[in-house]
Amino acid sequence: MDTEDIPFARPFVGREEEEAVLRVLRSGWLTTGQEALAFEKEFAAFLETGSPEIGAAEPLSPLNCLAVNSATSGLHLALEACGVGPGDTVLVPSYTFTSTAEVVRYLGAEPVFVDIAPGSPLMDPLALESTLERLFQGRPAYPARNGKGDGFGPRGKPRALIPVHYGGLPCDMKAIMGIAQRYQVKVIEDAAHAFPSRTDAGFAGDLADIGVFSFYATKTITTGEGGMVAVRDKALADRIGIMRLHGIDRTVWNRYTEQKASWYYEVVEPGFKYNMPDILAAIGRVQLGRAWALLEKRRNIAATYDAAFAGDGRFALPPSGTADARHLYPLGLNLETLALSRDTIIEKLQERGIGVSVHFIPLHTMPYYRKRQDLMPGDFPESLKRFQRVISLPIWPGMETAQVERVIAVLKAVTE
Ligand SMILES: *Cc1c(COP(=O)(O)O)cnc(C)c1O
């Protein structure tokens, strides 16, 4: 074991997931059906009660959960339902994965980047508010670098905000919702990392207008690929449900007649093909039942890392909190105290068989957005600073203690 490579991530799946897939394969129904429906109901029950048992949440929860084939599709559907279109802007953190911003472009709108707060990986509510204020005044999103002129970057009516619960650490949703209400913009939580992050006000992903979860292979629970949209507003949920599957409305017939005709439907929009097949939903139902146990395992790994790196001047512990789903362990490096660069340290870890990653390369430094919005790396200094000194260490639930200890020992050795 001691010489085997330690991957950055490894899904925790077992016999139960295998049996669930076999059950669906043998049933004759592979696409979206009863399993996806059950997964949605159980997921809603979980967000209401902390348990997937549906009985406890009956009568049926007003929380609508819609299974989709990725969080990216879910974010796209959420923005579409909020009416985002050409000429609009949507505010997103610069410190996130490309999904959060690309969905804005799908709709012909423009993402506006907001820096993270000093000492935090989360979007800065103060920066958020000042950017909203500029946009509402019809000014360009970003202030001038030299203080002269009115600034640069996109203009356009802000229609929505997408806070990201980085690593599963919930954003200050009370502050963000307060700002959103003042400016009358919708809030969509990118909760791709944040299942289950339970705050005093409820689960992350159920604290705004719409929340979107990811079941990508490396995420806290997985279906290989997949996602879930959580939304309380019935009209938004209906729109997302229709657009998720070709823009087909099946309720029309029932409106005019008591009879149900299984063959009849009307296409009301050119919708998308974003549904989750039953094969994947069956895996998701098993994973949902494991959610707390998997979190416990990630918490234990994080505690071992914390104990090893605390008080060591070379490292800065990742910010965390009681509601943290612990999707990532993004250890900070105090570069001033180290002889090697962050990139060299990563290279040396990889040479010794330890998989690590970096969350995130800020979006404003990516060629597409840099060119499109005329951005420079220093325009969002907190995102840049955090990116330059962070290494995400492996934190997957199946890690053995010896593996966690080897990561610690190797990292300490290469930074000696
Ligand atoms: C993984 C991720 C997504 C996208 O999830 P998919 O299910 O792969 O589409 C969105 N936002 C963030 C912050 C992510 O890390």
Side-chain angles (χ1 to χ4, degrees):
M1 186 91 249
D2 213 39
T3 52
E4 250 176 62
D5 284 1
I6 300 172
F8 171 64
R10 190 182 158 88
F12 190 99
V13 291
R15 176 97 55 81
E16 293 86 344
E17 282 85 350
E18 291 172 11
E19 281 167 2
V21 169
L22 279 177
R23 182 181 72 236
V24 174
L25 291 179
R26 287 170 181 155
S27 75
W29 189 275
L30 306 189
T31 184
T32 307
Q34 289 309 312
E35 291 287 336
L37 202 61
F39 185 30
E40 290 174 342
K41 287 186 177 167
E42 289 161 1
F43 201 87
F46 195 108
L47 292 180
E48 293 277 22
T49 67
S51 155
E53 303 291 329
I54 292 176
E58 294 282 13
L60 271 188
S61 139
L63 175 62
N64 305 280
C65 283
L66 296 106
V68 286
N69 60 5
S70 73
T72 308
S73 338
L75 289 167
H76 183 194
L77 291 169
L79 287 180
E80 199 278 339
C82 291
V84 172
D88 293 336
T89 53
V90 175
L91 286 77
V92 305
S94 43
Y95 198 64
T96 184
F97 185 58
T98 188
S99 292
T100 320
E102 76 189 38
V103 293
V104 180
R105 293 292 306 126
Y106 290 0
L107 291 159
E110 200 65 38
V112 164
F113 298 113
V114 177
D115 208 353
I116 52 178
S120 159
L122 306 175
M123 184 158 70
D124 184 358
L126 291 175
L128 176 67
E129 182 145 27
S130 64
T131 309
L132 271 174
E133 186 62 34
R134 292 182 65 87
L135 290 166
F136 266 102
Q137 290 167 351
R139 298 160 70 194
Y142 312 129
R145 294 189 189 99
N146 58 7
K148 287 188 209 126
D150 206 22
F152 66 105
R155 300 170 195 255
K157 185 178 163 38
R159 187 79 67 179
L161 323 172
I162 314 183
V164 176
H165 304 303
Y166 173 95
L169 191 62
C171 296
D172 182 350
M173 291 307 294
K174 222 175 138 196
I176 290 174
M177 293 310 284
I179 295 168
Q181 264 151 25
R182 278 204 292 289
Y183 289 88
Q184 293 287 300
V185 292
K186 293 277 193 223
V187 180
I188 296 157
E189 298 170 81
D190 182 337
H193 298 182
F195 187 77
S197 296
R198 189 178 212 166
T199 75
D200 291 341
F203 280 92
D206 184 24
L207 303 174
D209 295 294
I210 306 178
V212 182
F213 299 89
S214 174
F215 310 131
Y216 179 66
T218 61
K219 300 279 159 73
T220 55
I221 69 168
T222 185
T223 58
E225 297 279 0
M228 189 71 78
V229 181
V231 50
R232 289 192 179 264
D233 183 278
K234 181 76 169 58
L236 289 175
D238 286 348
R239 176 72 184 184
I240 291 167
I242 286 170
M243 294 307 281
R244 171 177 61 172
L245 200 62
H246 302 300
I248 284 175
D249 191 343
R250 280 189 189 276
T251 63
V252 199
W253 178 279
N254 303 339
R255 245 181 258 145
Y256 300 110
T257 160
E258 292 300 298
Q259 288 169 301
K260 286 191 179 168
S262 59
W263 58 270
Y264 188 76
Y265 61 84
E266 287 184 358
V267 173
V268 295
E269 289 285 351
F272 309 106
K273 184 67 165 66
Y274 282 171
N275 55 304
M276 174 183 280
D278 270 11
I279 303 170
L280 301 189
I283 300 174
R285 295 178 69 194
V286 180
Q287 290 270 298
L288 187 62
R290 297 191 195 275
W292 290 122
L294 297 182
L295 173 57
E296 193 56 31
K297 287 171 186 287
R298 291 191 303 274
R299 278 195 177 139
N300 288 336
I301 298 166
T304 308
Y305 283 145
D306 280 354
F309 299 122
D312 186 326
R314 291 170 289 178
F315 307 109
L317 299 191
S320 75
T322 50
D324 193 343
R326 287 291 195 179
H327 168 52
L328 300 174
Y329 192 87
L331 184 67
L333 300 176
N334 290 324
L335 294 174
E336 301 75 13
T337 68
L338 296 169
L340 303 179
S341 74
R342 190 273 311 267
D343 297 2
T344 310
I345 293 170
I346 290 180
E347 230 170 79
K348 290 193 175 291
L349 287 168
Q350 283 170 341
E351 275 166 20
R352 286 162 179 75
I354 292 175
V356 294
S357 191
V358 172
H359 298 89
F360 288 104
I361 309 169
L363 286 184
H364 74 279
T365 69
M366 292 292 180
Y368 176 75
Y369 293 110
R370 202 180 63 214
K371 286 182 205 144
R372 185 173 178 83
Q373 298 189 358
D374 199 17
L375 290 162
M376 301 204 302
D379 287 334
F380 300 92
E382 296 298 333
S383 299
L384 187 69
K385 198 163 73 183
R386 188 161 281 274
F387 154 66
Q388 284 168 335
R389 43 188 58 223
V390 85
I391 297 185
S392 295
L393 301 182
I395 182 167
W396 36 277
M399 275 182 94
E400 288 165 19
T401 311
Q403 292 177 305
V404 180
E405 279 164 1
R406 203 170 111 223
V407 174
I408 294 166
V410 172
L411 180 54
K412 287 199 166 183
V414 303
T415 51
E416 205 46 74

